[in-house]
Coordinates of all heavy atoms in Angstrom, one line a residue:
M129 N 220.7 50.7 149.6 CA 219.4 50.5 150.2 C 218.8 51.8 150.5 O 219.4 52.8 150.9 CB 219.6 49.7 151.5 CG 218.3 49.3 152.2 SD 218.4 47.8 153.1 CE 218.4 48.3 154.7
S130 N 217.5 51.8 150.3 CA 216.7 53.0 150.6 C 215.6 52.7 151.6 O 215.1 51.6 151.7 CB 216.2 53.7 149.4 OG 215.2 52.8 148.8
K131 N 215.1 53.7 152.2 CA 213.9 53.6 153.2 C 212.9 54.7 152.8 O 213.3 55.8 152.4 CB 214.4 53.8 154.6 CG 215.4 52.8 155.1 CD 214.7 51.5 155.4 CE 215.7 50.5 156.0 NZ 215.2 49.2 156.0
N132 N 211.7 54.4 153.0 CA 210.6 55.4 152.8 C 210.3 56.0 154.1 O 210.2 55.3 155.1 CB 209.4 54.7 152.2 CG 209.6 54.2 150.8 OD1 210.3 54.9 150.0 ND2 208.9 53.1 150.5
I133 N 210.1 57.3 154.1 CA 209.7 58.0 155.3 C 208.5 58.9 154.9 O 208.4 59.3 153.8 CB 210.9 58.9 155.9 CG1 211.3 59.9 154.9 CG2 212.0 58.0 156.4 CD1 212.3 61.0 155.5
A134 N 207.7 59.2 155.9 CA 206.6 60.2 155.7 C 207.0 61.5 156.3 O 207.5 61.6 157.4 CB 205.4 59.6 156.3
I135 N 206.7 62.5 155.5 CA 206.9 63.9 156.0 C 205.7 64.7 155.6 O 205.0 64.4 154.7 CB 208.2 64.5 155.4 CG1 208.2 64.6 153.9 CG2 209.4 63.8 155.9 CD1 209.4 65.3 153.3
S136 N 205.5 65.8 156.3 CA 204.4 66.7 156.0 C 204.6 67.4 154.6 O 205.7 67.5 154.2 CB 204.2 67.7 157.1 OG 205.2 68.7 157.1
D137 N 203.5 67.9 154.1 CA 203.6 68.6 152.8 C 204.5 69.8 153.0 O 205.3 70.2 152.1 CB 202.2 69.0 152.3 CG 201.4 67.9 151.8 OD1 202.0 66.8 151.5 OD2 200.2 68.0 151.8
D138 N 204.4 70.5 154.1 CA 205.2 71.7 154.3 C 206.7 71.4 154.3 O 207.5 72.1 153.7 CB 204.8 72.4 155.7 CG 205.6 73.6 155.9 OD1 205.7 74.5 155.1 OD2 206.3 73.6 157.0
V139 N 207.1 70.3 155.0 CA 208.5 69.9 155.1 C 209.0 69.5 153.7 O 210.1 69.8 153.3 CB 208.7 68.8 156.1 CG1 210.1 68.2 156.0 CG2 208.4 69.3 157.5
Y140 N 208.1 68.8 153.0 CA 208.5 68.4 151.6 C 208.8 69.6 150.7 O 209.8 69.6 150.0 CB 207.4 67.5 151.0 CG 207.6 67.2 149.5 CD1 208.5 66.2 149.2 CD2 207.1 68.0 148.5 CE1 208.8 65.9 147.8 CE2 207.3 67.7 147.2 CZ 208.2 66.7 146.8 OH 208.5 66.4 145.5
R141 N 207.9 70.6 150.8 CA 208.2 71.8 150.0 C 209.5 72.5 150.4 O 210.2 73.0 149.6 CB 207.0 72.8 150.1 CG 205.8 72.4 149.4 CD 204.7 73.4 149.3 NE 204.1 73.7 150.7 CZ 203.1 73.0 151.2 NH1 202.5 72.1 150.5 NH2 202.7 73.3 152.4
R142 N 209.8 72.5 151.7 CA 211.0 73.2 152.2 C 212.2 72.4 151.7 O 213.2 73.0 151.3 CB 211.0 73.3 153.7 CG 209.9 74.3 154.2 CD 209.8 74.2 155.7 NE 211.0 74.6 156.3 CZ 211.3 74.3 157.6 NH1 210.4 73.7 158.4 NH2 212.4 74.7 158.1
L143 N 212.2 71.1 151.8 CA 213.3 70.3 151.3 C 213.5 70.4 149.8 O 214.6 70.5 149.3 CB 213.1 68.8 151.6 CG 213.4 68.4 153.1 CD1 212.8 66.9 153.3 CD2 214.8 68.5 153.4
K144 N 212.4 70.4 149.1 CA 212.4 70.6 147.6 C 213.1 71.9 147.2 O 213.9 71.9 146.3 CB 211.0 70.4 147.0 CG 211.0 70.3 145.5 CD 209.6 70.0 145.0 CE 209.7 69.9 143.5 NZ 208.4 69.7 142.9
R145 N 212.7 73.0 147.9 CA 213.3 74.3 147.6 C 214.8 74.2 147.9 O 215.6 74.8 147.2 CB 212.7 75.4 148.5 CG 211.5 76.0 148.0 CD 211.1 77.3 148.8 NE 211.2 77.2 150.2 CZ 210.2 76.9 151.0 NH1 209.0 76.8 150.5 NH2 210.3 76.9 152.3
E146 N 215.2 73.6 148.9 CA 216.6 73.5 149.3 C 217.5 72.6 148.5 O 218.7 72.8 148.3 CB 216.7 73.0 150.8 CG 218.1 73.0 151.4 CD 218.2 73.9 152.5 OE1 217.3 74.6 152.9 OE2 219.4 73.9 153.0
K147 N 216.9 71.6 147.9 CA 217.7 70.6 147.2 C 218.3 70.9 145.9 O 219.4 70.5 145.6 CB 216.9 69.3 147.1 CG 215.9 69.2 146.0 CD 215.2 67.8 146.0 CE 214.9 67.3 144.7 NZ 215.9 66.8 143.8
G148 N 217.7 71.8 145.1 CA 218.3 72.1 143.8 C 218.5 70.8 143.0 O 217.6 70.1 142.8
D149 N 219.8 70.6 142.6 CA 220.1 69.4 141.8 C 220.5 68.2 142.7 O 220.8 67.1 142.2 CB 221.3 69.7 140.9 CG 220.9 70.7 139.8 OD1 219.7 70.8 139.4 OD2 221.8 71.4 139.3
R150 N 220.5 68.4 144.0 CA 220.9 67.3 144.9 C 219.7 66.4 145.2 O 218.5 66.8 145.0 CB 221.4 67.9 146.2 CG 222.6 68.8 146.0 CD 223.1 69.4 147.3 NE 222.1 70.2 147.9 CZ 222.2 70.6 149.1 NH1 223.2 70.3 149.9 NH2 221.3 71.4 149.6
S151 N 220.0 65.3 145.8 CA 218.9 64.4 146.2 C 218.4 64.9 147.6 O 219.1 65.6 148.3 CB 219.4 62.9 146.3 OG 220.3 62.8 147.4
F152 N 217.3 64.4 148.0 CA 216.8 64.7 149.4 C 217.8 64.1 150.4 O 218.0 64.8 151.4 CB 215.4 64.1 149.6 CG 214.3 64.9 148.8 CD1 213.6 64.2 147.8 CD2 214.0 66.2 149.1 CE1 212.6 64.9 147.1 CE2 213.0 66.9 148.4 CZ 212.3 66.2 147.4
S153 N 218.3 63.0 150.2 CA 219.2 62.4 151.1 C 220.5 63.3 151.3 O 221.0 63.4 152.4 CB 219.7 61.0 150.6 OG 218.6 60.1 150.7
E154 N 220.9 63.8 150.2 CA 222.1 64.7 150.3 C 221.8 66.0 151.1 O 222.6 66.4 151.9 CB 222.6 65.1 148.8 CG 223.2 64.0 148.1 CD 223.5 64.3 146.6 OE1 222.6 65.0 146.0 OE2 224.6 63.9 146.1
V155 N 220.6 66.5 150.9 CA 220.2 67.7 151.7 C 220.2 67.4 153.1 O 220.8 68.1 154.0 CB 218.9 68.3 151.2 CG1 218.4 69.4 152.1 CG2 218.9 68.7 149.8
I156 N 219.6 66.3 153.5 CA 219.5 65.9 154.9 C 220.9 65.6 155.5 O 221.2 66.0 156.6 CB 218.5 64.8 155.1 CG1 217.1 65.3 154.7 CG2 218.5 64.2 156.5 CD1 216.1 64.1 154.6
A157 N 221.7 64.8 154.7 CA 223.0 64.4 155.2 C 223.9 65.7 155.4 O 224.6 65.8 156.3 CB 223.6 63.5 154.2
D158 N 223.8 66.6 154.4 CA 224.6 67.8 154.5 C 224.3 68.6 155.8 O 225.1 69.1 156.5 CB 224.4 68.8 153.3 CG 225.2 68.3 152.1 OD1 226.0 67.3 152.2 OD2 224.9 68.8 151.0
K159 N 223.0 68.7 156.1 CA 222.5 69.4 157.3 C 223.0 68.7 158.5 O 223.5 69.3 159.5 CB 221.0 69.5 157.3 CG 220.4 70.3 158.4 CD 221.0 71.7 158.4 CE 219.9 72.7 158.2 NZ 220.4 74.1 158.3
L160 N 222.9 67.3 158.6 CA 223.4 66.6 159.7 C 224.9 66.6 159.9 O 225.4 66.8 161.0 CB 222.9 65.1 159.7 CG 221.4 64.9 159.8 CD1 221.0 63.5 159.5 CD2 220.9 65.4 161.1
D161 N 225.6 66.5 158.7 CA 227.1 66.5 158.8 C 227.6 67.9 159.1 O 228.7 68.0 159.7 CB 227.7 66.1 157.4 CG 227.4 64.7 157.1 OD1 227.1 63.9 158.0 OD2 227.5 64.3 155.9
G162 N 226.8 68.9 158.9 CA 227.3 70.3 159.2 C 227.1 70.7 160.6 O 227.1 71.8 161.0
G163 N 226.8 69.7 161.5 CA 226.6 70.0 162.9 C 225.1 70.3 163.2 O 224.8 70.6 164.3
G164 N 224.3 70.2 162.2 CA 222.9 70.5 162.4 C 222.2 69.3 163.0 O 222.7 68.3 163.2
E165 N 220.9 69.5 163.3 CA 220.1 68.5 163.8 C 219.0 68.3 162.8 O 218.6 69.2 162.0 CB 219.5 68.8 165.2 CG 220.6 69.0 166.2 CD 220.0 69.4 167.6 OE1 218.8 69.5 167.7 OE2 220.8 69.5 168.5
I166 N 218.4 67.1 162.8 CA 217.3 66.8 161.9 C 216.1 67.8 162.1 O 215.5 68.2 161.1 CB 216.8 65.4 162.0 CG1 215.9 65.0 160.8 CG2 216.0 65.1 163.3 CD1 216.6 65.0 159.5
S167 N 216.0 68.4 163.3 CA 215.0 69.4 163.5 C 215.2 70.6 162.8 O 214.3 71.4 162.5 CB 214.9 69.7 165.0 OG 216.1 70.2 165.5
D168 N 216.5 70.9 162.4 CA 216.7 72.1 161.5 C 216.1 71.9 160.2 O 215.8 72.9 159.5 CB 218.3 72.3 161.4 CG 218.9 72.6 162.7 OD1 218.2 73.2 163.6 OD2 220.1 72.3 162.9
V169 N 216.0 70.7 159.7 CA 215.5 70.4 158.4 C 214.0 70.3 158.4 O 213.2 70.8 157.6 CB 216.1 69.1 157.8 CG1 215.4 68.8 156.4 CG2 217.6 69.2 157.7
T170 N 213.4 69.7 159.5 CA 212.0 69.4 159.6 C 211.2 70.6 160.1 O 210.0 70.5 160.0 CB 211.7 68.2 160.4 OG1 212.2 68.5 161.8 CG2 212.5 67.0 159.9
G171 N 211.8 71.5 160.8 CA 211.1 72.6 161.4 C 210.7 72.4 162.8 O 210.0 73.2 163.4
Q172 N 211.1 71.3 163.4 CA 210.8 71.0 164.8 C 211.6 72.0 165.6 O 212.6 72.5 165.3 CB 211.2 69.6 165.2 CG 210.5 68.5 164.4 CD 209.0 68.5 164.7 OE1 208.6 68.6 165.9 NE2 208.2 68.5 163.7
G173 N 211.0 72.3 166.8 CA 211.7 73.2 167.7 C 211.6 74.7 167.3 O 212.3 75.5 167.8
I174 N 210.6 75.0 166.5 CA 210.4 76.4 166.1 C 209.6 77.2 167.1 O 209.5 78.4 167.0 CB 209.8 76.6 164.7 CG1 208.5 75.9 164.5 CG2 210.8 76.1 163.7 CD1 207.8 76.1 163.2
F175 N 208.9 76.4 168.0 CA 208.1 77.1 169.0 C 208.7 76.9 170.4 O 209.4 75.9 170.6 CB 206.7 76.4 169.1 CG 205.9 76.6 167.8 CD1 205.6 75.5 167.1 CD2 205.5 77.8 167.4 CE1 204.8 75.6 165.9 CE2 204.7 78.0 166.2 CZ 204.4 76.9 165.5
D176 N 208.5 77.9 171.3 CA 209.0 77.7 172.6 C 208.2 76.6 173.3 O 207.2 76.2 172.8 CB 209.0 79.0 173.4 CG 207.6 79.6 173.5 OD1 206.7 78.8 173.9 OD2 207.4 80.8 173.3
A177 N 208.7 76.2 174.4 CA 208.1 75.1 175.2 C 206.7 75.3 175.6 O 205.9 74.4 175.8 CB 209.0 74.7 176.4
E178 N 206.3 76.6 175.8 CA 205.0 76.9 176.3 C 203.9 76.9 175.2 O 202.7 76.8 175.4 CB 205.0 78.2 177.0 CG 205.9 78.2 178.2 CD 206.3 79.6 178.6 OE1 206.0 80.6 178.0 OE2 207.0 79.7 179.6
T179 N 204.3 77.0 173.9 CA 203.4 77.2 172.8 C 202.4 76.0 172.7 O 201.2 76.3 172.6 CB 204.1 77.4 171.5 OG1 204.9 78.6 171.6 CG2 203.1 77.6 170.3
P180 N 202.8 74.8 172.7 CA 201.8 73.7 172.6 C 200.7 73.8 173.6 O 199.5 73.6 173.3 CB 202.6 72.4 172.7 CG 204.0 72.8 172.3 CD 204.1 74.2 172.8
A181 N 201.0 74.1 174.9 CA 200.0 74.2 175.9 C 199.1 75.4 175.7 O 197.8 75.3 175.9 CB 200.6 74.3 177.3
K182 N 199.6 76.5 175.2 CA 198.8 77.7 174.9 C 197.8 77.3 173.7 O 196.7 77.7 173.8 CB 199.7 78.8 174.5 CG 200.4 79.4 175.7 CD 201.3 80.6 175.2 CE 202.2 81.1 176.4 NZ 203.1 82.2 175.9
V183 N 198.3 76.6 172.8 CA 197.5 76.3 171.6 C 196.3 75.3 172.1 O 195.2 75.5 171.7 CB 198.3 75.6 170.5 CG1 197.4 75.0 169.4 CG2 199.2 76.7 169.9
A184 N 196.7 74.3 172.9 CA 195.7 73.4 173.4 C 194.6 74.1 174.2 O 193.4 73.9 174.1 CB 196.3 72.3 174.2
D185 N 195.0 75.1 175.1 CA 194.1 75.9 175.9 C 193.2 76.7 175.0 O 192.0 76.8 175.2 CB 194.8 76.8 176.8 CG 195.5 76.1 177.9 OD1 195.2 74.9 178.2 OD2 196.4 76.7 178.6
E186 N 193.7 77.3 173.9 CA 192.9 78.1 173.0 C 191.9 77.2 172.2 O 190.8 77.6 172.1 CB 193.8 78.8 172.0 CG 193.1 79.8 171.1 CD 192.5 81.0 171.8 OE1 192.7 81.2 173.0 OE2 191.8 81.8 171.1
I187 N 192.3 76.0 171.9 CA 191.4 75.1 171.2 C 190.3 74.7 172.1 O 189.1 74.7 171.7 CB 192.1 73.8 170.7 CG1 193.0 74.2 169.5 CG2 191.2 72.7 170.3 CD1 194.0 73.1 169.1
D188 N 190.6 74.4 173.4 CA 189.6 74.1 174.4 C 188.6 75.3 174.6 O 187.4 75.1 174.6 CB 190.2 73.7 175.7 CG 190.9 72.4 175.7 OD1 190.7 71.6 174.8 OD2 191.7 72.2 176.7
R189 N 189.2 76.5 174.7 CA 188.3 77.7 174.9 C 187.4 77.9 173.7 O 186.2 78.1 173.8 CB 189.2 78.9 175.0 CG 188.4 80.2 175.4 CD 189.3 81.4 175.4 NE 189.8 81.8 174.1 CZ 189.0 82.4 173.1 NH1 187.8 82.7 173.4 NH2 189.6 82.7 172.0
L190 N 187.9 77.7 172.5 CA 187.1 77.9 171.3 C 186.1 76.8 171.1 O 185.1 77.0 170.4 CB 188.0 78.1 170.0 CG 188.9 79.3 170.0 CD1 189.9 79.2 168.9 CD2 188.0 80.6 169.9
S191 N 186.4 75.6 171.6 CA 185.5 74.5 171.5 C 184.3 74.4 172.5 O 183.4 73.7 172.3 CB 186.3 73.2 171.5 OG 187.2 73.1 170.5

Side-chain angles (χ1 to χ4, degrees):
M129 180 152 108
S130 67
K131 298 286 183 189
N132 292 326
I133 61 171
I135 57 174
S136 70
D137 290 340
D138 179 55
V139 171
Y140 174 80
R141 285 189 295 273
R142 292 173 60 198
L143 281 169
K144 189 172 180 181
R145 273 194 314 264
E146 182 118 1
K147 80 181 212 73
D149 293 333
R150 300 179 298 163
S151 69
F152 289 115
S153 292
E154 290 172 319
V155 173
I156 294 169
D158 285 349
K159 186 58 119 171
L160 293 172
D161 292 343
E165 297 180 358
I166 194 66
S167 61
D168 295 334
V169 177
T170 63
Q172 298 295 314
I174 58 174
F175 297 114
D176 61 46
E178 297 160 357
T179 298
K182 289 178 183 177
V183 169
D185 290 345
E186 185 67 4
I187 290 170
D188 288 343
R189 185 185 70 76
L190 293 171
S191 298

